[in-house]
Amino acid sequence: MERTTTAAAVAALLAAAALGLAPHQAQAAPAPAAAVAADAPAASPELRFHDIPGSGGITLKGNVFTPAGAVSGRKYPLIVLPTSWGMPQIEYIAQARKLADSGYVVVSYTSRGFWLSGGQIEVAGPPDIADVSAVIDWALANSPADADHIGLGGVSYGAGISLLASAHDPRVKAVVAMSGWADLIESIYSGRTQHLQAAGMLGAAGYLTGRPGPELQSILGDFLGSRLDREQQMIEWGRKRSAAEQVDRINANGAAVMLGNAWGDTIFPPNQYAKFYERLTGPKRLEFRPGDHATAEGTGLLGLPNDTWTNAHRWFDRYLKGERNGVDTEAPVQIKSRSDEGYEGYADWKSVGSGGSERLALSDSEHVFANVDSGANGGIIFLSSILDQFVKAPPTASIPLLPRAFAAVWQSERHDSPRRVRGTVALHTTVTPTKADGTFVAYLYDVGPLGIGKLVSNAPYTFHGRTPGRAFGVDLELFSTAYDVPAGHRLALVIDTVDPLYIEHNPTGAQLTFSSPRSDPSYVSVPLREQ
């Protein structure tokens, strides 16, 4: 489930405008089974708009690029691009034209339930997966597409659908999944906590641009309404839409899978992609960059130079055309630090933090009152991580001024040398609540000489049904990142109970105590890059 950023939407529309297509033209319904040719130079790939039969008898609005001067009787590799959440079929026009320029048949279509495509929004449910196979069938029958060289790709919702479809259609030989999800539960319900802004944005975009089905309406209402009696049903619904639950089928089919995401993705955090990547056994590649949801791919939708799309093309060229372009001989895990412009290559995800870990002991017991935002928070969906991406300005907090009644704070000594944080920070602590239910959010900060902390990572944690006054242990993974802490700075862990990004479950008057028993000391483990 997904929604691209406003920037991505603008990029798609500008790309269409640059090619002489008005948005209403892209959505105009042509005569059934008829093709409408777009005006284009003779040397350009041919673009046609089509009504494409989807699964269950619905019609999908799509467009097809074929290579310029396609030779009659010759077959060309096929790439299918399902659109992102809330986006029309023109989303990928700039990239589809580039792919066609290099010899592909490219079919893009508006995902069911959105805009003028038929059906209702199924959130990558079985009908969406069947749509992909139906589009492939149609392309093989109505274009010079090669049945032996088929790829899938997309941004966000299109990425999630592509991964799931590769588990069900063995004809798929290559997948490029950008800013997508592999585990829907770990994406928007990590730490058993609803990601409020993410789910709210997705829901609003769905109602604005499409037709949510009754199942989605019910699930969304239960999720945002904190219906614990429906929790298991919601989890099962999410698992059915998670490629991580079908990784064995993906591996058996053998598609080459490239995954790309941003460190600050507030819809689909990077942890779940990294875990999924480690379970893939076929050809694979993992890329992480600074930014938020779909911002790493956004400029590419305009047809501008873009690392993510460049590597996507290389991936398709290698595994659909057989080109020896070196993408398969490079280190398969490629990451870019949030504070450095260069790329770092690793043999696998586990090697990212190969320099060992540094432990910050949480030896002092801290007691906080719930229900008040201390001022430490993860920022605002999209905006905060975009500012971090482009101007290196992550969310900040004055650590000395955080009210200790509402925030627990632990700080390291000043570091004499830089600390290059790479991977997944892990928190282990002991919590004693005064109520059966509760939520807290953990933040790791880079604290400068003036006490201003820049957010390195965060993650929420919610518990239900605990015995008041009885301590219990907590192990919490913060969202994976790559961040360089300058020499002379400290690391600080802050815990409070309210963050606008998440739904909190602290009853009125709730209090939490964080302690460090001798038999089970509390700590934060920070993975570091090898020097």
Side-chain angles (χ1 to χ4, degrees):
M1 177 169 51
E2 173 275 353
R3 171 193 177 276
T4 52
T5 65
T6 301
V10 172
L13 294 174
L14 289 176
L19 293 169
L21 298 169
H24 71 275
Q25 289 177 305
Q27 291 303 317
V36 181
D39 292 333
S44 298
E46 184 180 22
L47 168 64
R48 294 175 180 268
F49 292 96
H50 289 270
D51 282 354
I52 301 176
S55 65
I58 73 160
T59 297
L60 301 169
K61 295 297 181 180
N63 57 65
V64 181
F65 271 106
T66 53
V71 178
S72 178
R74 179 180 173 183
K75 297 295 184 180
Y76 299 87
L78 169 66
I79 296 176
V80 175
L81 304 172
T83 59
S84 301
W85 185 271
M87 292 294 285
Q89 62 181 15
I90 60 172
E91 177 183 10
Y92 301 114
I93 276 185
Q95 288 300 325
R97 168 162 280 180
K98 288 188 175 185
L99 287 164
D101 272 334
S102 62
Y104 292 96
V105 173
V106 186
V107 180
S108 179
Y109 67 92
T110 304
S111 300
R112 72 163 50 221
F114 289 103
W115 297 94
L116 295 181
S117 280
Q120 298 176 316
I121 301 172
E122 301 286 348
V123 195
D128 290 296
I129 308 312
D131 283 344
V132 175
S133 294
V135 171
I136 291 174
D137 292 341
W138 180 89
L140 294 176
N142 293 276
S143 76
D146 186 347
D148 295 325
H149 299 89
I150 297 173
L152 302 177
V155 176
S156 197
Y157 193 49
I161 289 175
S162 294
L163 284 175
L164 286 161
S166 72
H168 293 269
D169 197 324
R171 295 175 295 181
V172 176
K173 299 299 189 291
V175 177
V176 174
M178 297 171 277
S179 289
W181 80 93
D183 189 326
L184 194 55
I185 301 303
E186 281 299 306
S187 293
I188 61 173
Y189 195 51
S190 68
R192 206 178 176 188
T193 308
Q194 298 102 317
H195 294 212
L196 173 62
Q197 291 185 17
M201 290 286 284
L202 293 170
Y207 278 98
L208 181 64
T209 62
R211 301 169 299 283
E215 187 177 28
L216 172 57
Q217 294 181 45
S218 176
I219 288 291
L220 191 60
D222 292 340
F223 184 80
L224 295 176
S226 301
R227 288 280 305 276
L228 284 178
D229 59 312
R230 295 277 300 165
E231 183 181 40
Q232 193 56 43
Q233 289 90 331
M234 288 186 279
I235 290 174
E236 289 303 318
W237 179 88
R239 284 176 175 166
K240 291 177 182 177
R241 290 157 171 81
S242 297
E245 296 291 325
Q246 302 182 42
V247 67
D248 290 342
R249 296 183 65 167
I250 294 173
N251 288 334
N253 287 341
V257 178
M258 172 181 156
L259 306 171
N261 205 351
W263 296 118
D265 195 319
T266 44
I267 305 288
F268 305 128
N271 303 44
Q272 45 92 30
Y273 244 21
K275 292 175 183 177
F276 175 70
Y277 169 84
E278 287 289 89
R279 296 176 61 197
L280 292 171
T281 57
K284 59 184 180 178
R285 182 180 178 96
L286 177 67
E287 300 182 355
F288 284 139
R289 299 175 177 84
D292 204 312
H293 186 64
T295 64
E297 304 86 25
T299 56
L301 295 176
L302 278 170
L304 299 175
N306 180 278
D307 290 348
T308 309
W309 281 103
T310 295
N311 289 335
H313 287 235
R314 295 173 66 216
W315 193 255
F316 284 134
D317 289 346
R318 175 66 186 91
Y319 291 102
L320 296 184
K321 291 182 178 179
E323 292 184 3
R324 297 289 179 177
N325 55 20
V327 73
D328 57 329
T329 61
E330 298 169 357
V333 175
Q334 294 284 327
I335 70 171
K336 181 184 284 189
S337 167
R338 289 161 51 194
S339 47
D340 187 359
E341 295 302 318
Y343 282 92
E344 301 167 10
Y346 297 89
D348 52 34
W349 174 248
K350 295 177 182 177
S351 300
V352 171
S354 57
S357 60
E358 182 171 314
R359 283 197 176 189
L360 169 60
L362 311 180
S363 54
D364 298 328
S365 180
E366 297 282 349
H367 182 86
V368 298
F369 294 88
N371 308 115
V372 175
D373 188 345
S374 70
N377 62 65
I380 300 172
I381 188 172
F382 298 137
L383 177 61
S384 296
S385 291
I386 290 174
L387 289 174
D388 185 33
Q389 176 183 2
F390 292 108
V391 296
K392 304 293 188 293
T396 60
S398 175
I399 304 304
L401 296 181
L402 291 175
R404 294 313 197 257
F406 308 115
V409 180
W410 298 266
Q411 292 193 79
S412 71
E413 298 297 324
R414 285 191 176 89
H415 297 297
D416 294 331
S417 60
R419 294 295 191 270
R420 294 179 172 86
V421 181
R422 299 290 186 273
T424 307
V425 175
L427 166 65
H428 175 75
T429 189
T430 295
V431 181
T432 305
T434 60
K435 304 287 185 179
D437 304 325
T439 297
F440 65 85
V441 185
Y443 310 88
L444 185 69
Y445 283 100
D446 159 25
V447 185
L450 299 179
I452 302 300
K454 295 183 177 180
L455 186 65
V456 177
S457 185
N458 78 100
Y461 184 89
T462 293
F463 58 89
H464 296 288
R466 292 289 179 175
T467 302
R470 180 176 295 178
F472 62 93
V474 170
D475 287 290
L476 176 63
E477 289 187 344
L478 278 62
F479 301 135
S480 301
T481 194
Y483 183 97
D484 298 331
V485 180
H489 286 211
R490 306 173 187 263
L491 284 172
L493 181 81
V494 177
I495 297 178
D496 72 1
T497 61
V498 176
D499 190 310
L501 287 173
Y502 313 112
I503 290 178
E504 53 95 3
H505 296 263
N506 297 298
T508 301
Q511 302 172 42
L512 299 175
T513 299
F514 299 90
S515 59
S516 182
R518 289 184 179 179
S519 59
D520 186 21
S522 296
Y523 61 86
V524 170
S525 178
V526 181
L528 303 175
R529 190 185 85 178
E530 188 172 0
Q531 300 298 319

